[in-house]
């Protein structure tokens, strides 16, 4: 079995299901509203390429929470409702992308000729949540219950493989005809700064090598310095940058297109 480690969190590339464990988790006795004031405990997690329906749903929940950004004047109910809608939409879209094919064949619009692989980072959940996880801030749909036991999907990403990057204005110049693109790189807040994102990226690069790919691309917002530093430390370099005119024409912030040789 291939192994990879970080300075904070042990990481197993893939662990197959073995002994059934009881589903469901309760709040850890070490988890409380004051946990953010203490150093985070080392998080043990595994990485897995998956098409499992429970994992897809949990990955969608992870993304909805990781990318959530709502005005402070919104009620808790309104925020929860919005997140639930995002989970439903992302879960359905991810399922269609993995399925592949044209929309008429059950695939996602704009992904007719693109293969999508989902990679998840899961933390085991046997009886109680991992230390540092607060049940009040965690959507139950992040929990993936499978025959081999329960786990929380703490991070995920998609590897998109095809001739063009999916539904994007910036197109890479290398490996024309078959290139790979990272999307939806997300990590739950209590699992951040513990090597999860870096491990997901390296697993994606390993997958790219296994598929015979040459170049991996990813987009990053110009203002997202933390993400830029992450990808730079992982060996990515800037290939191009969107013009500021996209703020007017597309209503969003300009982005950088980064690349790394597989």
């Amino acid at each position: 079995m291939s192994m990879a480690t970080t300075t904070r969190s042990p990481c197993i590339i893939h662990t197959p299901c073995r002994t059934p464990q009881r589903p469901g988790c309760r709040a850890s006795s070490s988890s409380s509203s004051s946990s953010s004031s203490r150093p985070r405990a080392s998080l043990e997690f595994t990485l897995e390429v998956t098409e499992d329906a429970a994992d897809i749903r949990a990955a969608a929940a992870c993304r909805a929470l990781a990318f959530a950004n709502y005005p402070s004047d919104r009620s808790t109910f309104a925020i929860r409702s919005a997140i639930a809608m995002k989970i439903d939409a992302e879960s359905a879209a991810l399922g269609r992308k993995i399925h592949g094919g044209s929309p008429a064949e059950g695939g996602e619009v704009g992904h007719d000729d693109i293969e999508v692989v989902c990679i998840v980072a899961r933390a085991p959940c046997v009886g109680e949540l991992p230390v540092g996880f607060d049940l009040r801030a965690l959507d139950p749909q992040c929990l993936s219950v499978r025959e081999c036991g329960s786990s929380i999907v703490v991070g995920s990403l998609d590897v998109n493989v095809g001739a063009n990057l999916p539904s994007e204005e910036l197109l890479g110049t290398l490996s024309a005809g078959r290139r790979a693109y990272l999307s939806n790189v997300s990590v739950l807040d209590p699992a951040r700064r513990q090597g999860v994102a870096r491990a997901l990226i390296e697993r994606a690069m390993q997958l790219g090598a296994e598929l015979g790919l040459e170049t991996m691309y990813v987009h990053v917002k110009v203002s997202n310095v933390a993400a830029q530093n992450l990808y730079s430390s992982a060996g990515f370099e800037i290939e191009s940058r969107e013009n500021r005119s996209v703020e007017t024409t597309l209503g969003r912030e300009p982005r950088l297109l980064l690349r790394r040789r597989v």
Side-chain angles (χ1 to χ4, degrees):
M1 180 183 298
S2 300
M3 303 287 289
T5 59
T6 68
T7 56
R8 293 186 180 181
S9 303
C11 168
I12 305 173
I13 289 298
H14 173 70
T15 301
C17 296
R18 290 190 178 90
T19 305
Q21 300 166 343
R22 56 181 174 175
C25 299
R26 61 176 182 271
S28 168
S29 58
S30 300
S31 177
S32 67
S33 59
S34 63
S35 61
S36 59
S37 65
R38 301 192 303 272
R40 299 191 181 191
S42 180
L43 177 70
E44 181 178 349
F45 60 92
T46 63
L47 301 178
E48 186 176 345
V49 173
T50 183
E51 295 183 359
D52 182 85
D55 288 343
I56 291 174
R57 186 77 182 177
C62 172
R63 297 169 189 188
L65 289 174
F67 299 145
N69 185 17
Y70 299 100
S72 57
D73 60 349
R74 280 204 181 186
S75 68
T76 300
F77 175 80
I79 293 175
R80 286 292 185 183
S81 296
I83 290 175
M85 292 176 62
K86 285 183 177 293
I87 294 173
D88 288 341
E90 176 61 24
S91 178
L94 180 54
R96 291 191 298 268
K97 291 174 185 178
I98 293 175
H99 178 277
S102 68
E105 298 169 323
E108 177 72 348
V109 175
H111 285 71
D112 301 39
D113 301 315
I114 298 173
E115 177 186 358
V116 177
V117 179
C118 178
I119 302 176
V120 297
R122 63 172 81 255
C125 185
V126 184
E128 63 181 28
L129 295 172
V131 174
F133 282 72
D134 189 340
L135 192 62
R136 293 166 295 180
L138 181 67
D139 193 289
Q141 296 186 84
C142 289
L143 183 68
S144 176
V145 180
R146 296 169 59 181
E147 182 180 352
C148 61
S150 302
S151 62
I152 298 174
V153 171
V154 298
S156 72
L157 60 74
D158 298 335
V159 179
N160 306 264
V161 181
N164 297 308
L165 307 184
S167 305
E168 296 294 348
E169 292 71 33
L170 285 179
L171 298 178
T173 60
L174 298 181
S175 307
R178 194 164 185 263
R179 58 172 64 88
Y181 167 64
L182 299 179
S183 63
N184 297 309
V185 182
S186 55
V187 178
L188 290 178
D189 182 67
R192 291 174 183 172
R193 296 179 297 281
Q194 299 195 66
V196 177
R198 181 63 180 270
L200 284 165
I201 293 169
E202 292 305 325
R203 179 64 184 95
M205 298 304 296
Q206 179 186 8
L207 176 64
E210 293 168 358
L211 296 175
L213 301 171
E214 296 181 353
T215 310
M216 187 75 72
Y217 283 95
V218 67
H219 287 98
V220 180
K221 289 182 179 179
V222 171
S223 65
N224 195 343
V225 178
Q228 292 176 40
N229 291 338
L230 169 66
Y231 289 114
S232 176
S233 68
F236 282 80
E237 60 183 9
I238 298 174
E239 177 175 299
S240 58
R241 173 178 177 147
E242 287 180 321
N243 191 286
R244 294 194 65 87
S245 62
V246 300
E247 294 179 334
T248 302
T249 58
L250 299 178
R252 61 168 173 76
E253 180 183 345
R255 296 174 300 174
L256 303 173
L257 179 63
L258 311 180
R259 73 185 183 202
R260 172 182 161 182
R261 287 289 193 178
V262 174

